[in-house]
Amino acid sequence: MNYDQIFQSAQDAFLHFKNVSGKDKGKFLRRIAEGIEAEKATLIPIAAGESNLPEGRISGELGRTVGQIRLFANLVEEGSWVEAVIDHANPDRAPAPKPDLRRYLTPLGPIVVFGASNFPLAFSTAGGDTISALAAGCPVIYKGHPAHPDTSKLVGQIIQKAAIDSGLPVGLFTHVEGGIAEGQALVKHPLAKAVAFTGSFTGGKALFDLAHQREEPIPVFAEMGSVNPIITFKKKLANNLEVLAKQFVGSLTLGAGQFCTNPGLIMVPSAHAEDFAEAVKKELEEIAAAPMLHEGIAEAYYKSLESMKERKELHWVQVAEAKDLIKAYPALAKIKATDWLEDDHFQQEVFGSFALMVVYENFNELFAIAQRLHGQLTITLWGEEEELANKADLINQLEEKCGRLLFKGVPTGVEVSHAMQHGGPYPSTSDSRFTSVGSYAIKRFARPIAFQDMPHELLPDALRADNPLGIWRMVDGEFKK
Amino acid sequence: MNYDQIFQSAQDAFLHFKNVSGKDKGKFLRRIAEGIEAEKATLIPIAAGESNLPEGRISGELGRTVGQIRLFANLVEEGSWVEAVIDHANPDRAPAPKPDLRRYLTPLGPIVVFGASNFPLAFSTAGGDTISALAAGCPVIYKGHPAHPDTSKLVGQIIQKAAIDSGLPVGLFTHVEGGIAEGQALVKHPLAKAVAFTGSFTGGKALFDLAHQREEPIPVFAEMGSVNPIITFKKKLANNLEVLAKQFVGSLTLGAGQFCTNPGLIMVPSAHAEDFAEAVKKELEEIAAAPMLHEGIAEAYYKSLESMKERKELHWVQVAEAKDLIKAYPALAKIKATDWLEDDHFQQEVFGSFALMVVYENFNELFAIAQRLHGQLTITLWGEEEELANKADLINQLEEKCGRLLFKGVPTGVEVSHAMQHGGPYPSTSDSRFTSVGSYAIKRFARPIAFQDMPHELLPDALRADNPLGIWRMVDGEFKK
């Protein structure tokens, strides 16, 4: 099939699928989850082999993937996500009668989804982007990631089989293979209505620009990663030096440092910088180097480190030599806050297990860093409650720089839930108003439509007088069921 | 003040204003409404004089403007608009403990708002864009429309006085005068976080492109108008010929045809096309030509008509000669559906009281038109219930082409309410996922932020355990107060 046929088939499927009930969409999604579980024994070794990730990790990711699918199934079966609003007519209102007006969310149309290399299941073929688009009622044209072609094809077949078993048109989901040129052609197709992407800034920004240069510009939800700063405070650090060093190194080296929420920047008060660096070094030495997703990523990691080594402002705590063409040896360098503040280059993400430790002398330096920070997916504060109590201004400033602010634990490990926000100010994502993880991810793929004085028999169930779906709605300004 | 100073002052005001309570924001907004009402006697003649609109219309618009301000005051005083979501921790969950995660909407930052010429009050200085941005907690840098400079300055002073009287920083609202270059400089300023605009496609698209070419791209909410098709069906038309002709002409010529929801396209079945055209012509002849907003707009109207006259596919029912440099004489031309389908140029908006009547022979032609239509703010269906009963496919298709679908009345007269959707697929607006009229307009200026394991004393009121604001929240998946 050429792309025109793929998109026409998706568009035809869309005009049917958008009116499929939440209950039936839920069944379809559950079939995908069941299909993945049924193929577990085949899928896990294939995905592990293609990604260099251990089978245990892939098995956990599979659990997360099906859990995520069922979260969206629950969401659409329950149905309130459509934000139904009803304002009743008032024919007696002066000077003009008030019409009957009803509004809800309707799906956008065919969505182009790009798979991510670092999560061959959870952010790929049946990952959060595909599933939230399908849940919203949108067909998906999925561009598989070349780093895990067989995993991708197998999951694609599971989705297609689920569509057929559910009596839904196969045009709902198409799996496309290819590289950059193919991806660009998909984004440029006139029938595409939005794009979802997880990956590098360069890749995401290129798609963003392309989508906005179309005759009809379309939204791009690009999650482009960030350095996820951790800010540490004196007392907390002094009281928990070893524990925090261990937590930090665990998060930094998880999955060979290939998480979008990997902490690549840590701010440390000068009084404890040396001790903390020592403790971190000790932990790092105990971590076995892990293979990265593919050789290209490992090569890029070591190349970035080489360029970092040319900067005389950096003092290396742990050096990673390119001892291996595929494994990532973690690395850590220290820099003074005053030096860090001089050059935005120090904010660039090094994809992999490298972190920059910024040593600050006082609160003013820390506040200057907070003001200077680029947009981040997450920022983490490690402070005792009494240290944070008078930091309202700093916290207020940091809120402007991230989508999720943590006060405990580490940024890796993104909870899939209602309250999750995985999307921060630019350049961490292309649109901070939306999330790519958690149930609100569905909102990316819908838009409101209002019906004025629509005959009752024509109204969708979500907007009928008797509320047959039993969903939460705003009726004449009051939330009710 | 130069633009750097203006934006820095707005940014400083923002870091304070974003944390002001809904109750206090409501008071501030009510002060603006009261200020406008107090200056009514001065404002109305100035606005009427600058816009060529009758004082009665301006007086009505003033009522709409203060009503709109109070709607947003109610919204932020009530407070549930922030979409608070709480997922409680579960330290016992396996394999990993579940963190406490809380999410709500936080304002974006300084917003650049462009005033519209066609509504000197309701879509201008204290119009829906400014007020919904302020309600969200965002400062506004307002570029006054040069067509009504004195109205704009006076309303700007009212807003500034309301800020001072409310003990809020004056940087919350700045009134800027100027033309295209000044507007572009505002959109390009690094501290600007979003843009709202109501006006022409050319103007809106230029700002959209500029905002997306910035180092940090920012969202642009441009409402760029449309031709708001009315689709008529045989029986309805035959049964109500005169009434519908009168309704159509009333809507077409309202405000000299200068509404964004002006019906510039009407589809008529061939069986009744001549009769309906006659009835419309009779009505049009009784309408006195009304002055347009300024000479430039009148000139553009007549120029567009001249270029339309060169198209041999058009048959003129009512010709408007440029008899006047300022007044708009309404005009109407007929075209066969088959001709209309040949050239997208026939979809272009002529700003003013001109409409194209598309004569269709059968349902297939009508369906082809529905598929071909560009994105619209509104589409109106005039059919008897039995004529619409079997038109599910057509209605389904039309939903893809508009933000509001009407089954009675006319598209002009946009209700300011919760259920309103004033924003349709491109090119009617730059982002169909949002509305510029009604309470949901506030959502344009906010983004979600999540707090993970935040100490309770630091939580904003909207997310505290005891729900001190008494707002609707989703707690562990359940909506509750």
Side-chain angles (χ1 to χ4, degrees), chain A residues 392-393 396 399, chain B residues 13-22 25 104 106-107 137 460:
Chain A
D393 283 353
N396 196 35
E399 284 179 20
Chain B
F14 170 61
L15 290 175
H16 171 74
F17 190 49
K18 64 185 272 231
N19 296 311
V20 163
S21 72
K25 283 195 293 184
Y104 79 151
T106 186

Side-chain angles (χ1 to χ4, degrees), chain A residues 11-338:
Chain A
Q11 176 66 18
D12 293 344
F14 170 61
L15 290 174
H16 170 74
F17 190 51
K18 65 186 271 233
N19 296 311
V20 163
S21 72
K23 296 265 180 283
D24 285 340
K25 282 194 294 184
K27 268 188 213 159
F28 165 50
L29 296 180
R30 288 184 198 286
R31 279 203 174 96
I32 298 173
E34 287 155 17
I36 291 172
E37 281 171 336
E39 294 289 341
K40 216 177 199 171
T42 317
L43 253 180
I44 292 177
I46 294 178
E50 287 187 327
S51 66
N52 293 324
L53 294 166
E55 291 205 359
R57 144 73 201 266
I58 292 291
S59 169
E61 192 183 323
L62 189 143
R64 178 198 173 98
T65 307
V66 299
Q68 184 163 272
I69 296 173
R70 291 190 174 115
L71 176 81
F72 284 105
N74 290 341
L75 189 76
V76 296
E77 284 165 355
E78 193 279 330
S80 299
W81 76 274
V82 299
E83 298 177 10
V85 183
I86 298 176
D87 289 333
H88 285 107
N90 179 2
D92 302 326
R93 191 186 61 176
K98 188 178 168 202
D100 178 280
L101 207 57
R102 294 166 195 242
R103 174 190 202 268
Y104 80 150
L105 296 180
T106 187
L108 289 182
I111 309 296
V112 176
V113 174
F114 287 81
S117 62
N118 58 347
F119 282 89
L121 297 172
F123 283 80
S124 288
T125 325
D129 288 338
T130 296
I131 298 299
S132 57
L134 290 173
C138 298
V140 169
I141 292 95
Y142 180 78
K143 193 359 216 93
H145 198 288
H148 48 260
D150 292 338
T151 311
S152 197
K153 262 180 283 183
L154 182 50
V155 177
Q157 285 158 10
I158 293 169
I159 302 176
Q160 279 159 341
K161 183 171 182 307
I164 294 166
D165 290 350
S166 305
L168 292 169
V170 286
L172 264 195
F173 180 86
T174 308
H175 188 278
V176 174
E177 289 173 79
I180 292 177
E182 288 74 15
Q184 290 177 334
L186 295 176
V187 172
K188 279 154 95 170
H189 198 280
L191 287 174
K193 289 295 177 189
V195 177
F197 169 89
T198 302
S200 69
F201 176 78
T202 314
K205 183 59 162 56
L207 295 179
F208 180 86
D209 288 343
L210 197 64
H212 285 90
Q213 286 152 9
R214 291 165 41 117
E215 189 181 335
E216 178 189 337
I218 55 174
V220 173
F221 305 99
E223 195 266 77
M224 305 181 285
S226 60
V227 293
N228 303 290
I230 296 178
I231 301 178
T232 69
F233 295 91
K234 265 192 198 169
K235 281 189 193 157
K236 179 81 174 186
L237 203 57
N239 295 345
N240 308 274
L241 202 84
E242 277 79 27
V243 174
L244 293 179
K246 202 180 183 71
Q247 266 199 307
F248 171 62
V249 170
S251 182
L252 177 67
T253 58
L254 195 69
Q258 300 167 115
F259 284 151
C260 11
T261 50
N262 188 56
L265 191 63
I266 183 160
M267 267 72 89
V268 181
S270 58
H272 303 291
E274 265 186 56
D275 290 351
F276 189 63
E278 268 314 298
V280 168
K281 190 178 165 64
K282 216 179 99 192
E283 290 294 335
L284 284 175
E285 283 164 355
E286 287 179 27
I287 298 285
M292 296 189 79
L293 293 160
H294 53 79
E295 288 188 1
I297 283 188
E299 197 184 326
Y301 173 64
Y302 288 111
K303 218 173 136 188
S304 297
L305 290 185
E306 283 311 312
S307 110
M308 281 287 183
K309 280 181 200 156
E310 287 167 19
R311 301 299 301 251
K312 60 179 188 333
E313 299 94 332
L314 299 191
H315 306 275
W316 290 83
V317 177
Q318 174 90 353
V319 180
E321 304 293 348
K323 301 169 197 164
D324 199 296
L325 278 175
I326 182 75
K327 281 186 187 163
Y329 286 84
L332 183 81
K334 277 199 300 188
I335 183 170
K336 279 191 205 168
T338 44

Side-chain angles (χ1 to χ4, degrees), chain A residues 93 399 404 415 452, chain B residues 93 399 404 415 447 452:
Chain A
R93 191 186 61 176
E399 284 179 20
R404 180 164 56 113
E415 197 62 32
Q452 187 165 325
Chain B
R93 192 185 61 176
E399 284 179 19
R404 179 163 56 112
E415 198 63 31
R447 66 178 172 93
Q452 188 165 324

Side-chain angles (χ1 to χ4, degrees), chain B residues 49-268:
Chain B
E50 287 187 327
S51 66
N52 292 324
L53 294 166
E55 291 203 0
R57 143 75 200 265
I58 293 291
S59 169
E61 192 182 324
L62 189 143
R64 177 198 173 98
T65 306
V66 299
Q68 184 164 272
I69 296 173
R70 291 190 174 113
L71 175 79
F72 284 105
N74 290 340
L75 189 75
V76 295
E77 284 165 357
E78 193 279 327
S80 300
W81 76 273
V82 299
E83 299 177 8
V85 183
I86 298 176
D87 289 333
H88 285 107
N90 178 2
D92 303 326
R93 192 185 61 176
K98 188 179 168 199
D100 179 282
L101 207 55
R102 294 165 194 243
R103 173 191 205 265
Y104 79 151
L105 296 179
T106 186
L108 290 182
I111 309 296
V112 176
V113 174
F114 287 81
S117 63
N118 58 348
F119 281 89
L121 297 172
F123 283 80
S124 288
T125 326
D129 288 338
T130 296
I131 297 300
S132 57
L134 290 173
C138 298
V140 169
I141 293 95
Y142 180 79
K143 180 35 196 78
H145 199 288
H148 49 259
D150 292 338
T151 310
S152 196
K153 263 179 283 184
L154 183 49
V155 177
Q157 285 157 10
I158 292 168
I159 301 175
Q160 279 159 342
K161 186 173 180 306
I164 294 166
D165 291 351
S166 305
L168 293 168
V170 287
L172 264 195
F173 181 87
T174 308
H175 189 277
V176 174
E177 290 173 79
I180 292 175
E182 287 75 14
Q184 289 176 335
L186 295 176
V187 171
K188 279 154 92 170
H189 197 282
L191 288 173
K193 289 294 176 188
V195 177
F197 169 89
T198 303
S200 69
F201 175 78
T202 315
K205 182 60 164 57
L207 295 180
F208 180 86
D209 288 342
L210 197 63
H212 286 89
Q213 287 152 10
R214 290 166 42 117
E215 190 182 335
E216 177 189 338
I218 55 174
V220 174
F221 305 99
E223 194 266 78
M224 305 182 284
S226 60
V227 294
N228 302 291
I230 297 178
I231 301 177
T232 69
F233 294 90
K234 263 191 196 169
K235 280 189 195 156
K236 180 79 171 189
L237 204 59
N239 295 345
N240 307 273
L241 202 84
E242 276 79 27
V243 175
L244 293 178
K246 200 180 186 71
Q247 265 197 308
F248 172 63
V249 170
S251 182
L252 177 67
T253 59
L254 194 69
Q258 299 167 115
F259 285 150
C260 11
T261 49
N262 189 55
L265 190 64
I266 184 162
M267 267 72 90
V268 181

Side-chain angles (χ1 to χ4, degrees), chain B residues 439-456:
Chain B
S439 54
Y440 277 76
I442 197 173
K443 306 275 182 178
R444 295 176 295 173
F445 304 117
R447 66 178 172 93
I449 185 165
F451 301 109
Q452 188 165 324
D453 295 319
M454 192 183 225
H456 197 260

